[in-house]
Amino acid sequence: MIDPFAFFLLVLKASLFSSGGQGNLPSLHEDLVGRGWAGNQDFAQALAVGQLAPGPTGLWTVALGYFVAGITGAGLAAAAIILPPLLVLPLARVHGRFSENTAARGFMRGLGLAVAATVPVIVLRVVGSYGYDLAGALIAVGSFAVLLTRRFPPIAVLGTGAAIGALVYR
Amino acid sequence: MLVLWSRIGLQSFGGGQSVLLYAYEALVVRRSWYTAEDWSQDWGLCQLAPGVNLISFAGLIGFRLSGPKGAVASLAGLLVPSITITVAMAAAYVRLRDVTVIRASVHGVLFAAAGGTFVNAIRVGRPLLLASRRDGRPVFLFTLLAVSACAGLALFARLPVIGLLIGTACAMAIAVVLNRRRMALAPK
């Protein structure tokens, strides 16, 4: 059984010290897998639901919350990912001073780059828990290439992945 | 605003990137509640806030247009329907995961979604790398080194991730500040 308050704080911490919708993945992965509250496959499935569902991709954390502790988990996760981004409101007040600040810009640049560098590593680890095979590699590389062009709606790409999966993994 | 943002949120099955496009279309192009310039500037500001940028952005736009009430309405519109559907999909998956076809399709979606997360990483990282390149060769080389170190450490070392993220952010802040100082001292 998980401790709801601790779960909320872990998600809050992961979201507060990261940027972007999936930036909280590395920290959450470390904390929740470490405590045995979620497994690699929960993460992989939550990322998939987050991409399929409408709204910001960051809502993958809500799906993870559901897998960890049902509706309560989903609600706690939602609250914990909504609060940190709202820091933009006080930030907007001091906008002039803050956005000209070289150190602050450098800090956020470093944070964004660190997220961009570590998230793929963790994604490989969680998806790898399903085992790598040729079909999986082709779906991943194909989706990557197609999504990079921005020519196709992501939902069509994911749908194609689902269709191939239904044929290959049954 | 509530209705507008719900519509924006619900149109975006399959990814956050499209939320931004629909929102721009609805607020800047069709209604001109926002100028294109303010839009870019506020989106830039949201990159400086932690967590999901779209949540920052919806909150900020709502706040600018009609104060705290606007912020709440925008966020509720964007998030309540989307969160409900996300939870419903997660719940449906938990019930149906023993059905072979469902499990097999989700298995396929996982790999497609993994490809998507790599695209997201590039979209987050690329403009920041370009910003470092504009700062000159020393900062750019330092950035490349820091990014490789970060990926390497995440891959092979079991460091606390938060430490790694904040450490990189601090190192980058110091590098950028030192560089600015060097540029100021350099003869023109």
Side-chain angles (χ1 to χ4, degrees), chain B residues 26-73:
Chain B
L27 291 161
V28 180
V29 180
R30 259 185 291 140
R31 288 192 185 67
S32 51
W33 286 357
Y34 239 71
T35 67
E37 199 184 330
D38 288 344
W39 181 271
S40 320
Q41 202 179 0
D42 277 350
W43 177 244
L45 182 62
C46 289
Q47 311 303 308
L48 298 177
V52 186
N53 298 136
L54 273 170
I55 296 181
S56 307
F57 202 34
L60 184 58
I61 288 176
F63 190 82
R64 290 232 202 266
L65 291 177
S66 45
K69 254 190 244 167
V72 172

Coordinates of all heavy atoms in Angstrom, one line a residue, chain B residues 26-73:
Chain B
A26 N -7.4 29.5 -32.4 CA -8.6 30.0 -31.8 C -8.5 31.4 -31.2 O -9.4 32.3 -31.3 CB -9.1 29.0 -30.7
L27 N -7.3 31.7 -30.6 CA -7.2 32.9 -29.8 C -6.5 34.1 -30.6 O -6.9 35.2 -30.4 CB -6.3 32.7 -28.5 CG -7.0 31.8 -27.5 CD1 -6.0 31.2 -26.5 CD2 -8.0 32.7 -26.7
V28 N -5.6 33.7 -31.5 CA -4.9 34.8 -32.2 C -5.5 35.0 -33.6 O -5.8 36.1 -34.0 CB -3.4 34.4 -32.3 CG1 -2.6 35.5 -33.1 CG2 -2.8 34.2 -31.0
V29 N -5.7 33.9 -34.3 CA -6.2 34.0 -35.7 C -7.7 34.4 -35.8 O -8.0 35.4 -36.4 CB -5.9 32.7 -36.5 CG1 -6.4 32.9 -37.9 CG2 -4.4 32.4 -36.5
R30 N -8.5 33.6 -35.1 CA -9.9 33.8 -35.2 C -10.5 34.9 -34.4 O -11.4 35.6 -34.8 CB -10.7 32.5 -35.0 CG -11.0 31.8 -36.4 CD -11.9 30.6 -36.2 NE -11.1 29.5 -35.6 CZ -11.6 28.7 -34.7 NH1 -12.8 28.8 -34.3 NH2 -10.8 27.7 -34.3
R31 N -10.0 35.0 -33.1 CA -10.6 36.0 -32.2 C -9.8 37.2 -32.0 O -10.3 38.2 -31.4 CB -11.0 35.3 -30.9 CG -12.1 34.4 -31.0 CD -12.6 33.9 -29.7 NE -13.7 32.9 -29.9 CZ -13.4 31.7 -30.4 NH1 -12.2 31.4 -30.7 NH2 -14.4 30.9 -30.6
S32 N -8.6 37.2 -32.3 CA -7.6 38.3 -32.0 C -7.7 38.8 -30.6 O -7.7 40.0 -30.3 CB -7.7 39.4 -33.1 OG -9.0 39.9 -33.3
W33 N -7.8 37.9 -29.6 CA -7.8 38.2 -28.2 C -6.3 38.5 -27.8 O -6.0 39.0 -26.8 CB -8.4 37.1 -27.3 CG -9.9 37.0 -27.4 CD1 -10.7 37.9 -28.1 CD2 -10.7 36.1 -26.8 NE1 -12.0 37.5 -27.9 CE2 -12.0 36.4 -27.1 CE3 -10.5 35.0 -25.9 CZ2 -13.1 35.7 -26.7 CZ3 -11.6 34.3 -25.5 CH2 -12.9 34.6 -25.8
Y34 N -5.4 38.0 -28.6 CA -4.0 38.0 -28.3 C -3.3 38.4 -29.6 O -3.6 38.0 -30.7 CB -3.6 36.6 -27.9 CG -3.0 36.4 -26.6 CD1 -3.8 36.5 -25.4 CD2 -1.6 36.2 -26.4 CE1 -3.2 36.4 -24.2 CE2 -1.1 36.1 -25.1 CZ -1.9 36.2 -24.0 OH -1.4 36.0 -22.8
T35 N -2.2 39.2 -29.5 CA -1.4 39.5 -30.7 C -0.4 38.4 -30.8 O 0.0 37.8 -29.8 CB -0.7 40.8 -30.6 OG1 0.3 40.7 -29.5 CG2 -1.6 42.0 -30.3
A36 N 0.1 38.2 -32.0 CA 1.1 37.1 -32.3 C 2.3 37.4 -31.5 O 3.0 36.5 -31.0 CB 1.4 37.1 -33.8
E37 N 2.7 38.7 -31.3 CA 3.9 39.0 -30.6 C 3.8 38.6 -29.1 O 4.7 38.0 -28.5 CB 4.1 40.5 -30.7 CG 5.5 40.9 -30.4 CD 5.6 42.5 -30.5 OE1 4.8 43.1 -31.3 OE2 6.4 43.0 -29.8
D38 N 2.6 39.0 -28.4 CA 2.4 38.7 -27.0 C 2.4 37.2 -26.9 O 2.9 36.6 -25.9 CB 1.1 39.2 -26.5 CG 1.1 40.7 -26.4 OD1 2.3 41.3 -26.3 OD2 0.0 41.3 -26.3
W39 N 1.9 36.5 -27.9 CA 1.8 35.1 -27.8 C 3.2 34.4 -27.7 O 3.4 33.6 -26.8 CB 1.0 34.6 -29.1 CG 0.9 33.1 -29.2 CD1 1.7 32.2 -29.8 CD2 -0.3 32.4 -28.7 NE1 1.2 31.0 -29.7 CE2 0.0 31.0 -29.0 CE3 -1.4 32.7 -28.1 CZ2 -0.9 30.0 -28.7 CZ3 -2.3 31.7 -27.8 CH2 -2.0 30.3 -28.1
S40 N 4.1 34.8 -28.6 CA 5.4 34.3 -28.6 C 6.1 34.6 -27.3 O 6.8 33.8 -26.7 CB 6.3 34.8 -29.8 OG 5.5 34.9 -30.9
Q41 N 5.9 35.9 -26.9 CA 6.6 36.3 -25.7 C 6.2 35.5 -24.5 O 7.0 35.0 -23.7 CB 6.4 37.8 -25.5 CG 7.5 38.4 -24.6 CD 7.3 39.9 -24.4 OE1 6.3 40.4 -24.9 NE2 8.1 40.5 -23.7
D42 N 4.8 35.3 -24.4 CA 4.3 34.6 -23.2 C 4.7 33.1 -23.3 O 4.9 32.4 -22.3 CB 2.8 34.7 -23.1 CG 2.4 36.0 -22.4 OD1 3.4 36.7 -21.8 OD2 1.3 36.4 -22.4
W43 N 4.7 32.5 -24.5 CA 5.1 31.1 -24.6 C 6.6 31.0 -24.2 O 6.9 30.0 -23.5 CB 4.9 30.7 -26.1 CG 5.4 29.2 -26.3 CD1 6.4 28.9 -27.2 CD2 4.8 28.0 -25.7 NE1 6.5 27.5 -27.1 CE2 5.6 27.0 -26.3 CE3 3.8 27.8 -24.8 CZ2 5.4 25.6 -25.9 CZ3 3.6 26.4 -24.4 CH2 4.3 25.4 -25.0
G44 N 7.4 32.0 -24.6 CA 8.8 32.0 -24.1 C 8.9 32.0 -22.6 O 9.7 31.3 -22.0
L45 N 8.1 32.8 -22.0 CA 8.1 32.9 -20.5 C 7.7 31.6 -19.9 O 8.3 31.2 -18.9 CB 7.1 34.0 -20.1 CG 7.0 34.4 -18.6 CD1 8.3 34.9 -18.1 CD2 5.9 35.4 -18.4
C46 N 6.8 30.9 -20.5 CA 6.4 29.6 -20.0 C 7.5 28.6 -20.0 O 7.5 27.6 -19.2 CB 5.1 29.1 -20.7 SG 3.7 30.0 -20.3
Q47 N 8.4 28.8 -20.9 CA 9.6 27.8 -20.9 C 10.4 28.0 -19.7 O 11.2 27.1 -19.3 CB 10.5 28.1 -22.1 CG 9.8 28.2 -23.5 CD 8.9 27.0 -23.8 OE1 9.4 25.8 -23.7 NE2 7.7 27.1 -24.1
L48 N 10.3 29.1 -19.0 CA 11.0 29.3 -17.8 C 10.4 28.8 -16.5 O 10.9 28.8 -15.4 CB 11.3 30.8 -17.6 CG 12.1 31.5 -18.7 CD1 12.2 33.0 -18.4 CD2 13.5 30.9 -18.8
A49 N 9.1 28.4 -16.7 CA 8.4 27.8 -15.5 C 8.6 26.3 -15.5 O 8.8 25.7 -16.5 CB 6.9 28.1 -15.6
P50 N 8.6 25.7 -14.3 CA 8.8 24.2 -14.2 C 7.5 23.5 -14.7 O 6.4 24.0 -14.8 CB 9.0 24.0 -12.8 CG 8.4 25.1 -12.1 CD 8.4 26.3 -13.0
G51 N 7.7 22.2 -15.0 CA 6.6 21.3 -15.4 C 6.0 21.5 -16.8 O 6.7 22.0 -17.7
V52 N 4.7 21.1 -16.9 CA 4.1 21.1 -18.2 C 3.9 22.5 -18.7 O 3.1 23.3 -18.2 CB 2.7 20.4 -18.1 CG1 2.1 20.3 -19.5 CG2 2.8 19.1 -17.4
N53 N 4.5 22.9 -19.9 CA 4.5 24.2 -20.4 C 3.1 24.6 -20.8 O 2.7 25.8 -20.6 CB 5.4 24.4 -21.6 CG 6.8 24.1 -21.3 OD1 7.5 23.5 -22.0 ND2 7.3 24.7 -20.2
L54 N 2.3 23.7 -21.3 CA 0.9 24.0 -21.7 C 0.0 24.4 -20.6 O -0.9 25.3 -20.7 CB 0.3 22.8 -22.4 CG 0.6 22.8 -23.9 CD1 0.1 21.4 -24.5 CD2 -0.1 23.9 -24.7
I55 N 0.3 23.9 -19.4 CA -0.5 24.2 -18.2 C -0.1 25.7 -17.8 O -1.0 26.5 -17.5 CB -0.3 23.2 -17.0 CG1 -0.8 21.9 -17.5 CG2 -1.0 23.7 -15.8 CD1 -0.7 20.8 -16.4
S56 N 1.2 26.0 -17.8 CA 1.6 27.4 -17.5 C 0.9 28.3 -18.5 O 0.4 29.4 -18.2 CB 3.1 27.5 -17.7 OG 3.8 26.6 -17.0
F57 N 0.9 27.9 -19.8 CA 0.5 28.8 -20.8 C -1.0 29.1 -20.7 O -1.5 30.2 -20.8 CB 0.8 28.2 -22.2 CG 0.9 29.2 -23.3 CD1 1.4 30.5 -23.1 CD2 0.5 28.8 -24.6 CE1 1.4 31.4 -24.2 CE2 0.6 29.7 -25.7 CZ 1.1 31.0 -25.4
A58 N -1.8 28.0 -20.5 CA -3.2 28.2 -20.4 C -3.6 29.1 -19.2 O -4.4 30.0 -19.3 CB -3.9 26.8 -20.3
G59 N -2.9 28.8 -18.1 CA -3.1 29.6 -16.9 C -2.7 31.1 -17.1 O -3.5 32.0 -16.8
L60 N -1.6 31.3 -17.8 CA -1.1 32.7 -18.0 C -2.1 33.4 -19.0 O -2.4 34.6 -18.8 CB 0.3 32.6 -18.6 CG 1.0 34.0 -18.8 CD1 1.1 34.8 -17.5 CD2 2.4 33.8 -19.4
I61 N -2.5 32.8 -20.1 CA -3.4 33.4 -21.0 C -4.7 33.8 -20.4 O -5.2 34.9 -20.5 CB -3.6 32.5 -22.2 CG1 -2.4 32.3 -23.1 CG2 -4.8 33.0 -23.1 CD1 -2.5 31.3 -24.2
G62 N -5.2 32.8 -19.6 CA -6.5 33.1 -18.9 C -6.4 34.3 -18.0 O -7.2 35.1 -17.9
F63 N -5.2 34.3 -17.3 CA -5.0 35.4 -16.3 C -4.9 36.7 -17.0 O -5.4 37.7 -16.5 CB -3.7 35.1 -15.5 CG -3.5 36.0 -14.3 CD1 -4.2 35.7 -13.1 CD2 -2.7 37.1 -14.4 CE1 -4.0 36.5 -12.0 CE2 -2.6 37.9 -13.3 CZ -3.2 37.6 -12.1
R64 N -4.1 36.8 -18.1 CA -4.0 38.0 -18.8 C -5.3 38.5 -19.3 O -5.5 39.7 -19.4 CB -3.0 37.8 -19.9 CG -1.6 37.6 -19.5 CD -0.7 38.6 -20.2 NE 0.7 38.1 -20.3 CZ 1.6 38.5 -19.4 NH1 1.3 39.2 -18.4 NH2 2.9 38.0 -19.5
L65 N -6.2 37.6 -19.8 CA -7.4 38.0 -20.4 C -8.5 38.4 -19.4 O -9.2 39.3 -19.6 CB -7.9 36.9 -21.4 CG -7.1 36.7 -22.6 CD1 -7.6 35.5 -23.4 CD2 -7.0 37.9 -23.5
S66 N -8.6 37.7 -18.3 CA -9.6 38.1 -17.3 C -9.2 37.7 -15.9 O -10.1 37.2 -15.2 CB -11.0 37.7 -17.7 OG -10.9 36.3 -18.2
G67 N -8.0 37.9 -15.5 CA -7.6 37.7 -14.1 C -7.7 36.3 -13.6 O -7.8 35.3 -14.4
P68 N -7.7 36.1 -12.2 CA -7.7 34.8 -11.6 C -8.9 33.9 -12.2 O -8.7 32.7 -12.4 CB -7.9 35.0 -10.1 CG -7.5 36.4 -9.9 CD -7.7 37.2 -11.2
K69 N -10.0 34.5 -12.4 CA -11.2 33.7 -12.9 C -10.9 33.1 -14.2 O -11.2 32.0 -14.5 CB -12.4 34.6 -13.0 CG -13.4 34.4 -11.9 CD -14.7 35.1 -12.2 CE -15.0 36.2 -11.2 NZ -16.0 37.2 -11.5
G70 N -10.2 34.0 -15.1 CA -9.9 33.5 -16.4 C -8.9 32.4 -16.3 O -8.9 31.4 -17.1
A71 N -7.9 32.5 -15.4 CA -6.9 31.4 -15.3 C -7.6 30.1 -14.9 O -7.3 29.1 -15.5 CB -5.9 31.8 -14.2
V72 N -8.5 30.2 -13.9 CA -9.2 29.0 -13.5 C -10.0 28.4 -14.6 O -10.0 27.2 -14.9 CB -10.1 29.3 -12.2 CG1 -10.9 28.0 -11.9 CG2 -9.2 29.6 -11.0
A73 N -10.7 29.3 -15.3 CA -11.6 28.8 -16.4 C -10.8 28.1 -17.5 O -11.1 27.0 -18.0 CB -12.4 30.0 -17.0

